[in-house]
């Protein structure tokens, strides 16, 4: 089933309105056969929102074989912690991810050499994820096929690994400082590496973080993204200075960190804490478990904003930016030109500053950053600062500066948001560069 932009506008507005009215208890899935007809909304904003229902077929995109080379590099550098799925995407070695496994399949798996490594009940999202190891000498692809054949209605997946949007590596420091401060205001969420909470730009921020691959560990990527969202250091200001932030570290400094299972758990935690906007400056392949988690979070009124990627105009659509309802963001230079490495396609809803800009680096200094990883938090914090949900999206749409072709296009989306929110690297004596 395909939706045009007007139909999708009605859909996204209806979903957000239902969540705001307390109807988030209902299951709200992605666009597809069997979706109930949604009524028109009285009083919908006159400014149309970006077309967030993707004209993409996940089943087809999951067969993409043109995997960006840096993902293959992740496997090579992992020292055996990762392997590649049949298409070449990195996955955690010898791990199978099952969602809502039936008792019958559980019994069969135990009788046939499968081992349950861990199981998590995602209470907020209403899902259960189970990670299994395949029988000895059974290829991962074969093991997944066997499990799926036992119950075709069950979701069985690889534990795909997500990478910072364009990064070739990530350095991790010591265990991240975990602040127990809390506040009752609407807060932003972040799924990334850990954050250096002691950085001057974040020291006064109401920050709480949690690790989902072991203890949270401060990383350059998460620290930079967090500072762009909420940093407040006098000479440096994020998009929403000093706002509350919940940071979910899905890496923990591990070579097999960043998996889909950890991603789903992180999203469950953030949704349960009442976060209204979540930034994800990570990219990877289509994964049915992550897709379902995103759908469930959206059903609870969470807006997910994600980097579209930095693998060039010809790269395949990457996720989670390409899921239905996710706000995909590309990056522009200080002059408002799209970056040459920026992704293009229907997954791009907005563009934002992603070059010639400063961000925090672990240890107290600042660095110059480049890429969609640093454009997405501009849009996420902008939407949250302006009310989140349909209200924040409406404000973003009205403020977006049209660029490229007239009207929405696959390069700039609905236009550039937050062009005046970029901090010049020289203003904070930024040193070095973080590119992704």
């Amino acid at each position: 089933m395909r939706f045009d932009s007007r139909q999708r506008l009605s859909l996204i507005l209806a979903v957000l309105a239902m969540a705001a009215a307390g109807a988030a208890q209902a299951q709200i899935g992605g666009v597809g056969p069997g979706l109930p007809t949604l009524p028109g909304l009285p009083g919908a904003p006159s400014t149309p929102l970006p077309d967030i229902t993707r004209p993409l077929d996940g089943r087809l995109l999951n067969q993409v074989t043109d995997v960006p080379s840096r993902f293959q590099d992740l496997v090579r550098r992992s020292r055996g912690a990762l392997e590649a799925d049949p298409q070449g995407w990195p996955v955690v070695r010898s791990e199978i991810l099952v969602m809502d496994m039936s008792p019958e399949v559980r019994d069969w798996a135990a009788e046939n050499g499968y081992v349950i490594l861990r199981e998590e009940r995602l209470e907020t999202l209403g899902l259960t994820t189970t990670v299994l190891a395949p029988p000895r000498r059974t290829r991962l692809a074969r093991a997944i096929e066997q499990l799926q054949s036992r119950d075709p209605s069950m979701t069985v997946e690889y534990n795909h690994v997500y990478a910072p949007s364009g990064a070739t590596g990530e350095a991790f420091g010591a265990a991240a400082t975990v602040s127990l401060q809390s506040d009752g205001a609407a807060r932003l969420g972040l799924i990334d590496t850990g954050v250096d909470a002691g950085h001057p730009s974040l020291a006064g921020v109401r920050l709480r973080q949690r690790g989902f691959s072991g203890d949270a560990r401060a990383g350059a990527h998460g620290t930079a993204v967090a500072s762009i969202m909420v940093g407040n250091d006098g000479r440096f200001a994020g998009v929403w200075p000093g706002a509350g932030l919940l940071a979910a570290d899905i890496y923990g400094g591990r070579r097999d960190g960043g998996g889909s299972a950890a991603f789903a758990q992180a999203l469950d935690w953030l949704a349960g804490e009442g976060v209204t906007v979540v930034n994800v400056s990570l990219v990877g392949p289509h994964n049915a478990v992550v897709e379902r988690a995103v759908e469930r979070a959206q059903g609870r009124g969470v807006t997910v904003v994600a980097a579209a990627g930095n693998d060039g105009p010809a790269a395949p659509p990457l996720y989670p930016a390409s899921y239905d309802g996710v706000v995909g963001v590309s990056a522009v230079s200080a002059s408002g030109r799209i970056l040459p490495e920026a992704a293009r396609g229907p997954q791009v809803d907005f563009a934002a500053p992603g070059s010639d800009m400063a961000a925090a680096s672990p240890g107290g200094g600042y660095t110059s950053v480049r890429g969609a990883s640093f454009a997405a938090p501009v849009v996420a914090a902008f939407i949250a600062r302006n009310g989140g949900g349909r209200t924040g999206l409406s404000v973003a749409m009205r403020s977006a500066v049209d660029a490229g072709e007239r009207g929405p296009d696959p390069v700039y989306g609905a236009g550039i948001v937050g062009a005046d929110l970029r901090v010049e690297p020289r203003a904070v004596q930024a040193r070095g560069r973080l590119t992704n």
Side-chain angles (χ1 to χ4, degrees), residues 17-343:
M18 288 166 64
Q25 300 289 330
Q27 289 190 6
I28 302 177
V31 173
L35 185 72
T37 301
L38 296 172
L41 295 178
S46 58
T47 302
L49 300 184
D51 188 9
I52 303 176
T53 298
R54 311 284 176 227
L56 302 171
D57 188 331
R59 292 168 298 178
L60 295 178
L61 292 176
N62 205 30
Q63 303 303 314
V64 170
T65 57
D66 187 18
V67 178
S69 61
R70 65 190 178 86
F71 286 95
Q72 299 167 35
D73 291 340
L74 281 178
V75 176
R76 287 192 288 269
R77 295 198 314 272
S78 73
R79 299 182 183 176
L82 306 178
E83 59 182 293
D85 74 4
Q87 284 74 49
W89 298 104
V91 302
V92 179
R93 180 171 293 279
S94 298
E95 288 195 357
I96 301 167
L97 181 56
V98 179
M99 185 167 60
D100 296 333
M101 184 166 59
S102 66
E104 294 77 16
V105 173
R106 182 186 299 271
D107 291 343
W108 179 89
E111 293 169 359
N112 287 272
Y114 290 82
V115 177
I116 294 179
L117 301 176
R118 55 192 182 276
E119 190 163 57
E120 296 285 343
R121 176 61 186 171
L122 309 184
E123 294 291 348
T124 302
L125 302 184
L127 301 170
T128 299
T129 58
T130 306
V131 179
L132 302 94
R136 293 183 61 185
R137 294 186 292 277
T138 301
R139 291 184 301 105
L140 197 54
R142 176 57 180 160
I144 289 176
E145 184 180 279
Q146 287 178 340
L147 282 171
Q148 190 70 77
S149 68
R150 304 303 302 180
D151 184 354
S153 67
M154 187 174 63
T155 300
V156 185
E157 266 285 12
Y158 295 92
N159 194 2
H160 285 113
V161 169
Y162 291 83
S165 178
T168 56
E170 171 67 46
F172 295 90
T177 301
V178 179
S179 170
L180 297 180
Q181 299 180 64
S182 63
D183 69 292
R187 288 172 294 181
L188 278 160
L190 172 65
I191 298 178
D192 210 291
T193 72
V195 175
D196 180 3
H199 191 280
S201 69
L202 299 170
V205 171
R206 294 165 301 202
L207 172 67
R208 184 151 53 103
Q209 54 186 320
R210 178 177 168 184
F212 293 88
S213 291
D215 294 335
R217 299 185 69 84
H221 195 268
T223 300
V225 172
S227 71
I228 292 171
M229 297 171 78
V230 299
N232 189 19
D233 183 23
R235 56 180 181 156
F236 178 93
V239 176
W240 194 3
L245 177 68
L246 269 66
D249 177 10
I250 64 171
Y251 294 94
R254 296 167 55 103
R255 295 184 184 277
D256 59 354
S260 299
F263 188 108
Q265 293 167 30
L267 192 54
D268 179 73
W269 174 61
L270 293 172
E273 291 292 326
V275 166
T276 57
V277 180
V278 174
N279 182 81
V280 186
S281 290
L282 312 173
V283 293
H286 178 276
N287 182 281
V289 173
V290 172
E291 182 179 29
R292 180 69 64 82
V294 169
E295 289 175 352
R296 291 290 180 89
Q298 290 168 338
R300 295 186 63 87
V302 177
T303 299
V304 179
V305 180
N310 303 296
D311 294 287
L318 297 174
Y319 296 86
S322 296
Y323 291 131
D324 287 349
V326 173
V327 180
V329 183
S330 193
V332 297
S333 67
S335 62
R337 299 290 296 274
I338 196 72
L339 299 187
E341 66 269 29

Side-chain angles (χ1 to χ4, degrees), residues 345-416:
Q347 71 273 29
V348 177
D349 296 300
F350 294 107
S355 180
D356 309 304
M357 62 189 293
S361 59
Y366 291 90
T367 189
S368 180
V369 295
R370 178 185 177 97
S373 277
F374 312 109
V378 172
V379 174
F382 186 94
I383 291 173
R385 190 185 73 182
N386 286 286
R390 58 184 280 174
T391 301
L393 280 167
S394 176
V395 174
M397 186 65 187
R398 289 198 301 270
S399 68
V401 178
D402 194 19
E405 299 177 9
R406 184 177 178 83
D409 64 68
V411 179
Y412 297 91
I416 301 171

